[in-house]
């Protein structure tokens, strides 16, 4: 169970989050345009590409680009998600030993390519995109391993790794080529307050370790590669980013989740929002505005935070 899945499927959480008033009028954009102004899509998706794969691969790329422009290299070794994804594949009995050997070598090489980019090397776009999509397939297995394990045909499951979808490659390259406009948004004022894939505290652990995309200074940002910009009333994206904010308000767990973890101070978040990559649009809501809107509605943000944490503990502590 993830935060996204909890929000989508758990009726108690749905009822709780529907207490949030309509806050769409609070949405602002870094380009000073109105959020609901007509915007031209600058990187439309390519027919034949896989939106989920491209979205995951783009997350890998954008985090790498943010590290590159901020001179931060913290991921020389394969991430836990990729490592455990391969291990899940190994235990699934869906892939042969030769498949696992091929995937392991491919993951190592793909991560090396990504790390070279972080360190400032120029990587040919198509080669880089294929490496990122290779990693995306592994992460998808990690996120939804139970579904993959039930698949019987080994040829189908190994095929994406052997022959990367060329439409997805071109779609990802088109998104990567928009990098010139990113520096103004993603250059940190203080790199000590830059967190990639931020993890949270005890409540996040109840819902299987929810993690965000980025905290930049005091701004919690989720990356989106959707074809359309959409943040209407009762929108799950808004609920998800508000959920991440709630998780960010308690002491975060740091260290190795298997060996030992310690508590550290909560994140200092003053804005929450989204980067809509296909539009080059960075949107946000200021937490102070959210607090005022919820206070005016008669359901204070502090009460929502407490109710959310209590519900997560009551329903999922010791269950997941």
């Amino acid at each position: 169970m993830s935060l996204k899945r909890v929000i989508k499927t758990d009726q108690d959480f749905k009822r709780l989050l529907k207490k949030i008033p309509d806050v769409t009028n609070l949405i602002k954009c870094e380009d000073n345009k109105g959020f609901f102004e007509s915007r031209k899509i600058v990187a439309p998706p390519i027919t034949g590409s896989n939106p989920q794969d491209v979205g995951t691969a783009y997350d890998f790329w954008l985090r790498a680009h943010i590290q590159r422009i901020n001179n931060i290299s913290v991921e020389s070794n394969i991430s836990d998600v990729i490592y455990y994804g391969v291990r899940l594949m190994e235990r699934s009995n869906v892939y042969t030993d030769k498949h696992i050997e091929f995937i392991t070598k491919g993951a190592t090489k793909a991560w090396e390519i990504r790390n070279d980019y972080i360190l400032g090397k120029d990587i040919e776009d198509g080669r880089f995109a294929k490496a990122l999509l290779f990693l995306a397939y592994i992460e998808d297995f990690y996120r939804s391993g139970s579904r993959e394990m039930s698949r019987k045909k080994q040829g189908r499951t190994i095929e994406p790794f052997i022959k990367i979808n060329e439409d997805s490659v071109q779609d990802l390259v088109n998104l990567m080529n928009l990098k010139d406009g990113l520096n103004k948004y993603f250059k940190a004022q203080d790199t000590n307050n830059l967190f990639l894939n931020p993890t949270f505290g005890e409540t996040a652990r109840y819902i299987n370790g929810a993690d965000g995309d980025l905290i930049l200074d005091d701004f919690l940002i989720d990356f989106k590669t959707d074809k359309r910009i959409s943040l209407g009333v009762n929108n799950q994206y808004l609920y998800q980013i508000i959920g991440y904010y709630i998780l960010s308000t308690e002491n975060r767990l740091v260290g190795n989740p298997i060996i030992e973890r310690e508590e550290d101070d909560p994140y200092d978040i003053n804005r929450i929002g989204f980067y809509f990559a296909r539009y080059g649009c960075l949107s946000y809501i200021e937490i102070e505005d959210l607090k005022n809107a919820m206070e005016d509605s008669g359901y204070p943000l502090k009460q929502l935070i407490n109710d959310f944490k209590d519900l997560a503990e009551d329903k999922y502590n010791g269950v997941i």
Side-chain angles (χ1 to χ4, degrees):
M1 189 72 73
S2 64
L3 176 61
K4 181 179 179 180
R5 186 167 175 80
V6 164
I7 290 171
K8 186 176 181 179
T9 63
D10 190 298
Q11 296 303 315
D12 291 326
F13 274 94
K14 284 185 177 182
R15 283 189 288 270
L16 175 64
L17 293 168
K18 283 185 178 180
K19 293 182 180 180
I20 299 172
D22 180 7
V23 295
T24 51
N25 64 311
L26 304 180
I27 303 172
K28 302 175 183 178
C29 300
E30 286 285 6
D31 60 9
N32 294 320
K33 294 181 181 179
F35 178 75
F36 293 102
E37 283 186 35
S38 177
R39 293 176 180 272
K40 182 179 179 181
I41 188 169
V42 289
I46 293 177
T47 302
S49 69
N50 184 302
Q52 180 174 321
D53 293 341
V54 172
T56 303
Y58 182 79
D59 288 356
F60 276 118
W61 176 79
L62 184 52
R63 289 194 298 271
H65 188 70
I66 291 168
Q67 288 175 253
R68 178 176 172 130
I69 65 177
N70 286 283
N71 298 312
I72 295 174
S73 179
V74 295
E75 296 178 287
S76 57
N77 296 319
I78 288 178
S79 71
D80 288 345
V81 167
I82 300 302
Y83 175 81
Y84 289 119
V86 175
R87 298 287 75 79
L88 275 174
M89 291 177 173
E90 193 173 14
R91 295 197 299 267
S92 68
N93 295 320
V94 171
Y95 297 95
T96 67
D97 290 343
K98 287 186 177 180
H99 290 163
I100 295 301
E101 181 180 1
F102 174 83
I103 291 169
T104 300
K105 288 181 178 178
T108 301
K109 184 61 179 177
W111 203 264
E112 288 175 357
I113 292 171
R114 184 178 182 273
N115 199 51
D116 284 344
Y117 179 81
I118 292 170
L119 295 174
K121 294 183 181 180
D122 291 328
I123 311 294
E124 191 272 323
D125 286 345
R127 179 171 179 252
F128 196 12
K130 287 181 179 180
L132 296 167
L133 284 162
F134 196 101
L135 296 173
Y137 299 151
I138 298 173
E139 174 157 336
D140 180 59
F141 193 99
Y142 173 80
R143 302 290 182 186
S144 58
S146 58
R147 292 200 304 271
E148 288 287 340
M149 288 179 192
S150 68
R151 299 172 69 173
K152 304 294 184 181
K153 297 182 180 179
Q154 295 177 348
R156 288 181 60 197
T157 56
I158 194 64
E159 183 65 21
F161 295 98
I162 296 173
K163 187 176 181 180
I164 305 291
N165 183 320
E166 290 294 340
D167 291 322
S168 294
V169 170
Q170 188 57 55
D171 196 3
L172 181 56
V173 167
N174 291 347
L175 286 166
M176 291 160 56
N177 283 339
L178 302 178
K179 58 180 175 291
D180 289 345
L182 295 178
N183 291 21
K184 61 184 177 182
Y185 294 148
F186 295 113
K187 196 77 166 66
Q189 296 178 15
D190 181 358
T191 55
N192 289 319
N193 291 325
L194 193 160
F195 302 92
L196 299 138
N197 271 134
T199 55
F200 302 101
E202 193 70 11
T203 301
R205 188 180 64 80
Y206 299 152
I207 51 176
N208 205 26
D211 59 322
D213 284 336
L214 174 71
I215 294 175
L216 182 72
D217 299 317
D218 64 349
F219 192 176
L220 173 61
I221 307 171
D222 214 30
F223 308 146
K224 300 297 180 187
T225 54
D226 298 57
K227 181 179 179 179
R228 294 182 179 85
I229 292 180
S230 176
L231 288 178
V233 180
N234 297 332
N235 185 280
Q236 289 186 9
Y237 285 171
L238 279 175
Y239 289 163
Q240 187 176 357
I241 200 70
I242 291 172
Y244 283 140
Y245 171 72
I246 291 170
L247 299 178
S248 77
T249 61
E250 63 185 8
N251 288 349
R252 62 186 189 272
L253 297 174
V254 296
N256 190 306
I258 297 176
I259 301 173
E260 184 178 6
R261 289 190 118 164
E262 297 179 353
E263 288 192 359
D264 204 345
D265 292 336
Y267 299 106
D268 184 18
I269 306 296
N270 292 312
R271 293 190 296 167
I272 55 175
F274 306 93
Y275 179 65
F276 290 96
R278 295 190 185 276
Y279 292 80
C281 173
L282 182 61
S283 62
Y284 63 93
I285 294 176
E286 295 185 29
I287 294 300
E288 191 61 32
D289 289 343
L290 178 63
K291 286 180 180 178
N292 291 336
M294 294 198 64
E295 189 73 38
D296 291 344
S297 76
Y299 187 56
L301 179 57
K302 185 175 182 180
Q303 185 63 50
L304 172 65
I305 292 171
N306 291 336
D307 291 345
F308 187 100
K309 291 178 180 178
D310 288 345
L311 183 58
E313 182 173 10
D314 290 344
K315 295 202 71 172
Y316 296 116
N317 184 20
V319 175
I320 297 179

